[in-house]
Amino acid sequence: MKFSLVNESPRLVQTECLVIGVTAGGDLSASAQDIDAASGGKISSLLETGDIETGLGKTTLLHGLNGLAASRVLVVGCGKQEKLNPSRFDRACQAGGTVLRDRAFTRCHVSLHDLEFEDSDPRWRLRQAALAVHRANYLYTVTKAPKDEAPVPLKAASFSGDESQEAILVEAEGFALGFAKARLLGDLPPNICNPAYLAQEASSIANQYDKVELDLLEEEHMAELGMDALLGVSRGSSNAAKLIVLKYSGGPTDQQPIVLVGKGVTFDSGGLSLKPSENMMQMKYDMCGAASVLGAFVSCAKLQLPINLICIVAAVENMPDADAYRPGDVLTSMSGKTIEVLNTDAEGRMVLCDALTYSEKFNPRAVIDVATLTGAAVVALGHHASGLISNDDELAEDLIAAGDAIVDRAWRMPLWDEYQSQLDTPFADMKNIGGMSAGMLTAACFLSRFMEDQNWAHMDIAGSAWKWGCDDGATGRPCGLLTQYLIDQSANS
Ligand code: BES
Ligand code: MN
Ligand code: ZN
């Protein structure tokens, strides 16, 4: 989708649809005032009679208004003025974007961002409006040709503003590109998106962008490095594991890189500890951590940020097989620590621990892993926040602030020593499950043992990576949070 700026009063913009926001109890925004004046007070009279809905996310499509060059006006309700905040604004923009898609408009002009509310910056509102409209117009078409009557994504959206805001739209396009990549990878079926596919995807990213190099580690190489935890998971699958290492060198050579590590389990059957069949198909999303770090990598490369970034994707499939790893096996990780496998379905941590150990060779300033790691994360936080666990307060605060800024929020949970003993076993340095209580935290405790000397954060995105129980698919999260964090770090470096 193309974004552009139009510096004209809304009444003069020729487009299929003008989009404005209104609140209950607030003043009309500048663009709403302009349309109101041009149309002889239509907006205010329809608001008065209740024919324009102001409830959050409610939309009203108006036709045939006098005095406008545009064919229609879409009025998006943003709820009560005094309750308006970043996440409610985001939801309203998204609702507007969804109508634009469902009505099959090809062009629109958006002025949602001139709706003011407390503590919000107009530049931020423009960026969020652009991102939300883009997000709502995502349509999956890889294995299904869109039918004639199906919603058609917008081709172009213009926004009211002048050249001084050009950089914001460039940034939004950078965000949108990575985010769409993350979402598509998540939505692809597991027979297409397997470890080799992710490797291919990384190779095309490396070819497409400047300052990017790919290092692809095959199983033999991983075996030489002693990655028996990762390889143990992969043993039951006929799809060979790949360790994908993408490097982006946008900063000075002596600047320590940020490392993003993604769980890329392209399908998680549970292995011999087989999952119940009921929800097993959802485990095609078990590579959404990988998808989000690849997406953030693409955004970083597209925006050519002045930092050094490494993206490591541990791509494997977890399947039952005569050669599969078993409950009771003890495996030695690359770090030398031994792990007793008590449940082959706790495979994410097995794969990640070796990828985390591998990350140390880059002398990183921070390592952030992203994984659909535990069902317990969903119990704890539901679908609105990603779980965040870190051994470094500053890193945790930076990530939370980035999530707040882009409305892709994370919530910090504790990494206290007390939880560590749940991983004790007489047969190895640790076992791979920590029992019923605090499942998200004991998984993080497990990972922390491989990051003792690093500034490290772990994001459990089992609840936020896709929309459960409906057909909406992958969310791309927390690609936005990560990209925002990388932008913030670029400004600080
Ligand atoms: N990929 C799953 C986590 C998951 C489950 C994400 C459901 C989203 C929805 C992970 O590999 C897993 O199976 N975790 C187990 C761990 C347990 C065996 C300790 C879980 O959470 O049940
Ligand atoms: Mn599992
Ligand atoms: Zn898994």
Side-chain angles (χ1 to χ4, degrees):
M1 185 190 306
K2 274 246 150 298
F3 294 149
S4 59
L5 288 163
V6 172
N7 192 11
E8 249 177 345
S9 5
R11 67 172 82 180
L12 301 176
V13 180
Q14 257 182 335
T15 180
E16 287 170 54
C17 191
L18 291 172
V19 189
I20 57 170
V22 294
T23 58
D27 297 333
L28 286 184
S29 70
S31 47
Q33 276 177 34
D34 182 63
I35 293 168
D36 193 48
S39 63
K42 266 283 176 208
I43 303 290
S44 36
S45 70
L46 291 172
L47 274 169
E48 209 155 289
T49 54
D51 291 306
I52 287 178
E53 293 196 78
T54 55
L56 181 63
K58 301 265 194 236
T59 55
T60 313
L61 192 57
L62 306 173
H63 298 258
L65 260 53
N66 291 329
L68 301 181
S71 330
R72 302 169 193 80
V73 180
L74 176 64
V75 186
V76 181
C78 298
K80 293 199 174 111
Q81 179 71 39
E82 69 272 17
K83 283 179 84 177
L84 198 50
N85 62 22
S87 84
R88 289 170 70 89
F89 180 73
D90 194 62
R91 272 188 275 164
C93 292
Q94 185 111 350
T98 304
V99 174
L100 296 174
R101 186 198 63 189
D102 291 348
R103 291 284 173 145
F105 299 142
T106 51
R107 268 152 214 292
C108 67
H109 178 77
V110 179
S111 307
L112 285 163
H113 49 290
D114 67 0
L115 189 70
E116 297 179 15
F117 58 94
E118 223 178 311
D119 295 333
S120 79
D121 162 26
R123 299 169 65 85
W124 177 88
R125 294 197 304 263
L126 170 59
R127 184 185 75 174
Q128 291 307 113
L131 284 174
V133 168
H134 185 276
R135 193 179 332 147
N137 281 271
Y138 166 87
L139 188 68
Y140 174 87
T141 54
V142 179
T143 47
K144 181 181 181 184
K147 298 226 172 60
D148 286 348
E149 69 275 15
V152 185
L154 277 174
K155 292 199 175 52
S158 64
F159 295 84
S160 31
D162 58 42
E163 315 88 72
S164 73
Q165 286 146 324
E166 203 65 64
I168 303 172
L169 287 192
V170 170
E171 188 179 280
E173 265 164 357
F175 265 98
L177 196 73
F179 164 81
K181 163 82 68 195
R183 213 160 157 191
L184 175 59
L185 286 173
D187 281 341
L188 285 171
N191 59 323
I192 293 180
C193 184
N194 57 26
Y197 185 93
L198 287 177
Q200 231 172 32
E201 201 45 48
S203 144
S204 74
I205 293 169
N207 291 330
Q208 210 174 331
Y209 295 100
D210 285 349
K211 304 179 190 161
V212 176
E213 265 173 83
L214 170 67
D215 200 3
L216 186 61
L217 277 64
E218 303 291 345
E219 287 188 344
E220 304 74 60
H221 195 164
M222 290 186 254
E224 277 164 31
L225 291 168
M227 296 187 166
D228 284 359
L230 186 156
L231 291 171
V233 174
S234 179
R235 246 169 42 206
S237 171
S238 49
N239 289 310
K242 310 275 175 185
L243 191 73
I244 299 163
V245 184
L246 276 169
K247 294 181 200 171
Y248 168 78
S249 313
T253 33
D254 59 350
Q255 188 193 76
Q256 289 178 282
I258 294 166
V259 180
L260 302 178
V261 178
K263 171 178 174 184
V265 175
T266 60
F267 186 71
D268 178 14
S269 68
L272 290 175
S273 313
L274 195 65
K275 285 183 181 295
S277 58
E278 199 183 343
N279 283 318
M280 201 196 272
M281 69 302 222
Q282 294 204 41
M283 286 300 116
K284 74 167 188 177
Y285 294 115
D286 214 17
M287 35 57 69
C288 282
S292 72
V293 300
L294 286 170
F297 188 90
V298 164
S299 293
C300 173
K302 167 79 180 171
L303 294 168
Q304 293 282 298
L305 298 179
I307 48 165
N308 295 328
L309 177 67
I310 309 241
C311 174
I312 303 178
V313 167
V316 304
E317 189 179 43
N318 186 23
M319 298 292 268
D321 181 77
D323 192 38
Y325 79 142
R326 325 159 182 77
D329 281 358
V330 175
L331 301 176
T332 305
S333 63
M334 181 181 173
S335 72
K337 292 184 171 153
T338 56
I339 305 161
E340 185 185 21
V341 179
L342 287 186
N343 190 321
T344 63
D345 197 12
E347 86 297 340
R349 60 198 81 182
M350 303 294 292
V351 167
L352 284 172
C353 69
D354 281 340
L356 287 171
T357 301
Y358 187 76
S359 76
E360 291 190 322
K361 77 173 216 168
F362 300 107
N363 183 29
R365 61 192 221 227
V367 180
I368 302 154
D369 79 71
V370 186
T372 47
L373 204 62
T374 64
V378 191
V379 176
L381 292 170
H383 304 291
H384 304 299
S386 304
L388 176 74
I389 288 131
S390 179
N391 61 11
D392 184 76
D393 290 343
E394 195 183 324
L395 176 59
E397 280 157 24
D398 288 349
L399 289 168
I400 296 218
D404 288 347
I406 193 80
V407 197
D408 178 359
R409 288 178 294 181
W411 192 256
R412 192 173 181 187
M413 303 291 267
L415 180 70
W416 293 331
D417 279 352
E418 286 86 338
Y419 294 105
Q420 291 281 356
S421 58
Q422 287 176 240
L423 299 173
D424 288 349
T425 164
F427 303 110
D429 294 329
M430 69 199 89
K431 56 185 178 184
N432 79 331
I433 55 174
M436 268 290 289
S437 47
M440 168 164 54
L441 307 187
T442 53
C445 283
F446 181 100
L447 298 177
S448 75
R449 296 172 179 218
F450 301 85
M451 287 276 93
E452 278 162 349
D453 305 317
Q454 302 292 338
N455 296 327
W456 160 77
H458 159 64
M459 298 193 66
D460 196 329
I461 59 163
S464 56
W466 73 94
K467 296 201 173 140
W468 290 42
C470 61
D471 297 331
D472 276 350
T475 61
R477 292 179 66 187
C479 182
L481 176 152
L482 295 170
T483 305
Q484 182 67 53
Y485 169 75
L486 296 173
I487 290 174
D488 296 345
Q489 290 301 305
S490 310
N492 296 338
S493 60

